[in-house]
Amino acid sequence: MDIQAYIRSGIIESYILGLAGSDEVAELEMLRRQYPDIDLAITTFEIEMEEVQRNTAVLPDQVTRNRVLDRLENGDGRLQVVSASSVESRSEAGNLSGIRMLRTWKWIAAAAVILLLASSAVIISLLNTNSDLRRNNADLAVQNENLRAQQKNDQTILTRLYTTLDVVSDSNTIAIRLNGVKGNENSYATVYWNQSTRDVYLMPGAVPKPAAGKQYQLWAIVDGKPVDAGMLGECAGVCRMKNIPRAQAFAITLEPEGGSASPTLEAMLVMGGV
Amino acid sequence: MVDTTSRSEHELISLLKQRDRTAFTRLYDDYSPALFTVILAIVKDRETANDTLQEVFVKIWKQIIQYDNQKGRLFTWLINIARNAAIDVLRSRAYKDTRKNQDLSDNVYEGANNTSMNPDRIGLKKFVERLKAEHRELIELSYFQGMTQEEISTSLNVPLGTVKTRLRAALLHLRESMKG
């Protein structure tokens, strides 16, 4: 299929603007997973649209903001303050006689009740705060974890990309283009073979995603015989394969996940001579 | 899929999925103008557009759990929710109140010399205006009025295949005009 023609056809613009039919949508979503060029073209247009639409935007009424925020689902309500009126009070009039004494004691009792109520309220307020703080803390911990995971992910990708650059620009490395065999004319990949270390790296160029349970396997052709050179996994940039001392050609076949002892020749995707 | 989303946007999405209200406020402040604009361009009446924007954000709040970065950028997802809501409103209102629609588009903006307030000049409309009539009409009917290609084909009495090809050409021209 002519990928460039597909990209230039207007289907991508149609898709992003929400105008594509369901068949077209299904086809595009499948193709974008297979062809990085299509995926990139889609994202590029998305970014263009975002920029234009942000730059030409007008503002809604201020009151709308208030209304929207008020309507938010309130799933994280604050703890209800427990009513403290159930606190009992006891007069300690005991066996004291005299009205004056009784009144004093009543005052003391009343003061005690007030004090108790006040401290209950304080305790409850502290409990609320504590609970909020703990929840915030948990939230922050989650955010922190997310950020760290993201950072670690970025770091890994960055490291792999630097490796790619090193591999590709090393003067000891030769590049061998593996072209699509009959039936897979649009596929290609590149093997980078370091002639001094004999390390082999593979950069998938246009390689369709394998079906579930299947995986691509690289072979080195040595004196007419295929030698396993490793499985193609997920890699940003180049994939490190096996070390191959000698070979006259390389090929990729589609094998069951985990690989095969010898290649399934009918399932060959690409091949290239050194 | 190539991930072009910034780290802060990833973080925002993650917080939204955790129902973080501060994140939602940030989302509103950042995206509401663009969403409001597409809604206004479609419904043409400011009051309706403000009401629709509210409904859109409620919808976003409910559906953000389902948003999947693998399917596309956040902005695209949000704009499509807004556009679809606006079209629903347009089509239901049109059903009820055809005459009122026409009155509104005549007199509400007559005083607005400021082109940024005219719903015929905001957002993408600014660029659609520059296209030739044939292309402009197709985008107007499909994007701003929500007609399917079948409906357009019937309405304009043009073969469906022609509608499809012309619409795609129109969109390509639109994209070109956006770069100018």
Side-chain angles (χ1 to χ4, degrees):
Chain A
M1 121 162 223
D2 188 342
I3 300 170
Q4 291 310 314
Y6 182 82
I7 288 173
R8 287 193 305 261
S9 69
I11 178 60
I12 288 175
E13 289 79 359
S14 181
Y15 172 73
I16 292 301
L17 293 171
L19 304 177
S22 53
D23 288 348
E24 297 175 315
V25 167
E27 186 188 40
L28 183 141
E29 287 178 352
M30 184 197 73
L31 288 172
R32 83 177 300 172
R33 287 194 293 268
Q34 274 185 286
Y35 298 103
D37 284 354
I38 293 178
D39 181 71
L40 191 63
I42 294 169
T43 308
T44 304
F45 183 60
E46 282 188 273
I47 293 172
E48 275 176 37
M49 285 307 297
E50 180 168 353
E51 193 177 322
V52 166
Q53 289 183 284
R54 280 177 180 274
N55 289 342
T56 57
V58 296
L59 298 177
D61 297 347
Q62 180 59 30
V63 68
T64 304
R65 184 181 192 273
N66 304 334
R67 291 194 182 136
V68 166
L69 298 182
D70 284 346
R71 284 178 71 175
L72 276 198
E73 216 182 322
N74 192 5
D76 292 323
R78 293 178 71 85
L79 281 176
Q80 292 300 309
V81 174
V82 172
S83 161
S85 57
S86 53
V87 175
E88 300 238 313
S89 67
R90 276 181 196 274
S91 163
E92 288 195 278
N95 44 15
L96 294 170
S97 57
I99 297 173
R100 216 186 123 196
M101 285 296 238
L102 206 60
R103 250 195 236 136
T104 311
W105 278 115
K106 275 190 178 168
W107 274 114
I108 291 170
V113 167
I114 289 168
L115 203 62
L116 196 60
L117 285 175
S119 54
S120 303
V122 166
I123 288 169
I124 285 159
S125 166
L126 284 173
L127 279 173
N128 276 349
T129 308
N130 195 34
S131 159
D132 278 349
L133 283 172
R134 279 213 241 142
R135 190 163 43 85
N136 284 345
N137 212 32
D139 287 348
L140 284 170
V142 172
Q143 284 178 45
N144 201 30
E145 264 318 296
N146 288 340
L147 285 171
R148 278 213 243 138
Q150 178 74 8
Q151 193 180 37
K152 192 163 169 221
N153 196 35
D154 288 347
Q155 211 39 48
T156 309
I157 291 177
L158 212 62
T159 308
R160 290 208 200 129
L161 289 174
Y162 282 135
T163 306
T164 305
L165 240 126
D166 283 342
V167 162
V168 167
S169 57
D170 189 328
S171 52
N172 286 322
T173 302
I174 59 169
I176 302 140
R177 169 80 168 222
L178 308 184
N179 288 308
V181 301
K182 188 164 170 198
N184 296 307
E185 285 82 355
N186 282 322
S187 301
Y188 65 89
T190 312
V191 159
Y192 292 95
W193 193 14
N194 189 311
Q195 297 297 284
S196 57
T197 64
R198 311 315 281 187
D199 286 334
V200 171
Y201 298 85
L202 179 62
M203 184 174 319
V207 168
K209 188 173 169 168
K214 296 246 181 201
Q215 207 179 353
Y216 290 108
Q217 187 163 3
L218 179 69
W219 303 92
I221 315 296
V222 185
D223 299 333
K225 295 195 179 56
V227 170
D228 169 42
M231 303 304 298
L232 180 59
E234 288 283 321
C235 12
V238 291
C239 300
R240 173 90 184 261
M241 309 303 282
K242 292 191 170 177
N243 187 291
I244 299 284
R246 285 178 62 236
Q248 289 81 39
F250 288 89
I252 295 178
T253 60
L254 187 64
E255 302 296 336
E257 221 164 10
S260 305
S262 53
T264 310
L265 294 173
E266 312 80 65
M268 187 177 299
L269 183 76
V270 294
M271 190 175 118
V274 173
Chain B
M1 175 182 143
V2 173
D3 185 356
T4 52
T5 301
S6 70
R7 198 182 296 177
S8 61
E9 193 168 286
H10 270 303
E11 189 198 318
L12 179 69
I13 293 167
S14 169
L15 289 171
L16 289 169
K17 292 194 183 204
Q18 292 166 53
R19 293 262 167 272
D20 184 303
R21 296 179 69 177
T22 310
F24 190 74
T25 309
R26 272 167 47 203
L27 183 78
Y28 182 88
D29 288 336
D30 194 8
Y31 290 89
S32 62
L35 302 190
F36 178 71
T37 304
V38 71
I39 295 169
L40 181 58
I42 290 170
V43 304
K44 296 192 197 266
D45 162 52
R46 268 198 87 96
E47 196 187 319
T48 309
N50 276 290
D51 289 344
T52 308
L53 185 68
Q54 277 182 57
E55 297 310 319
V56 163
F57 271 93
V58 169
K59 221 175 263 193
I60 291 169
W61 180 243
K62 287 181 180 162
Q63 293 179 12
I64 189 73
I65 301 269
Q66 297 160 32
Y67 167 67
D68 179 5
N69 173 248
Q70 287 299 305
K71 282 222 157 166
R73 291 171 59 86
L74 181 64
F75 188 86
T76 309
W77 186 76
L78 296 170
I79 279 277
N80 280 323
I81 292 180
R83 181 180 158 262
N84 289 330
I87 285 173
D88 286 346
V89 166
L90 182 76
R91 297 194 123 189
S92 72
R93 197 175 60 142
Y95 178 75
K96 287 176 190 171
D97 253 334
T98 327
R99 181 96 49 100
K100 193 178 170 196
N101 266 357
Q102 287 170 354
D103 286 344
L104 278 173
S105 57
D106 282 340
N107 56 32
V108 172
Y109 292 99
E110 64 192 9
N113 292 316
N114 183 356
T115 54
S116 72
M117 290 293 278
N118 183 342
D120 287 330
R121 293 274 160 82
I122 57 176
L124 296 182
K125 291 227 167 183
K126 205 171 114 168
F127 304 99
V128 174
E129 277 225 317
R130 301 179 190 171
L131 302 178
K132 69 178 186 182
E134 183 183 271
H135 288 159
R136 204 183 329 134
E137 183 182 36
L138 282 173
I139 295 180
E140 174 62 37
L141 293 177
S142 62
Y143 189 77
F144 294 100
Q145 292 183 31
M147 282 176 77
T148 63
Q149 295 181 25
E150 288 81 3
E151 287 169 344
I152 294 174
S153 165
T154 310
S155 168
L156 299 183
N157 201 21
V158 168
L160 181 58
T162 310
V163 170
K164 181 185 287 194
T165 318
R166 259 187 220 164
L167 177 59
R168 288 194 187 180
L171 295 177
L172 290 170
H173 280 106
L174 175 64
R175 186 173 182 180
E176 264 313 294
S177 92
M178 277 163 30
K179 291 178 179 170

